[in-house]
Amino acid sequence: QVQLVESGGGLVQAGGSLILSCASSGVTFSGITMGWFRQAPGKEREFVAAISWTGVGKEYADSVKGRFTISRDNAKNTEYLQMNSLKPEDTGVYYCAAGYGGLGVATHDYHYWGQGTQVTVSA
């Protein structure tokens, strides 16, 4: 059974930082693309970042470029999202995703999803 479990969310002031983690089990981590999406209240789920299974290929949404960094540790079956200079508009539920479709930016590019972790950025 595939499980993706996010952690690290919380409440932070604007300008602060958070690190999200996503631990996976039941899936072959090698060869799989990992991604992060987020969903704000009343809005659709949107792409944040993705990383190839080698860790070399990375893709970011324009809204987070230069502030967020995605990484992975294949030995630990874990991916991370370092979030710096957080803004109130970064608030939302952050979802970890895994898939075999390359560095996709759409939800349908991913096969597996975590339950999400809440990130709230206060002004």
Side-chain angles (χ1 to χ4, degrees):
Q1 182 180 357
V2 176
Q3 276 195 317
L4 302 178
V5 180
E6 304 94 337
S7 61
L11 174 64
V12 64
Q13 288 188 331
S17 298
L18 282 175
I19 301 176
L20 304 184
S21 300
C22 173
S24 66
S25 61
V27 63
T28 302
F29 207 67
S30 178
I32 201 166
T33 295
M34 299 297 296
W36 289 96
F37 286 72
R38 66 187 181 189
Q39 188 167 17
K43 295 188 177 181
E44 292 187 352
R45 194 170 298 188
E46 65 174 4
F47 172 76
V48 175
I51 185 168
S52 67
W53 74 274
T54 63
V56 174
K58 297 180 183 180
E59 188 72 35
Y60 295 95
D62 288 343
S63 59
V64 306
K65 280 181 182 176
R67 300 189 298 121
F68 290 11
T69 302
I70 190 171
S71 61
R72 64 190 292 166
D73 185 339
N74 289 344
K76 296 182 179 180
N77 285 5
T78 301
E79 70 158 342
Y80 305 93
L81 186 67
Q82 171 73 52
M83 304 187 294
N84 298 327
S85 302
L86 283 161
K87 305 175 181 180
E89 51 263 44
D90 293 318
T91 294
V93 178
Y94 281 68
Y95 296 91
C96 170
Y100 298 98
L103 287 175
V105 301
T107 55
H108 64 248
D109 292 322
Y110 295 84
H111 302 82
Y112 308 109
W113 293 86
Q115 293 300 306
T117 185
Q118 177 70 44
V119 171
T120 303
V121 184
S122 63

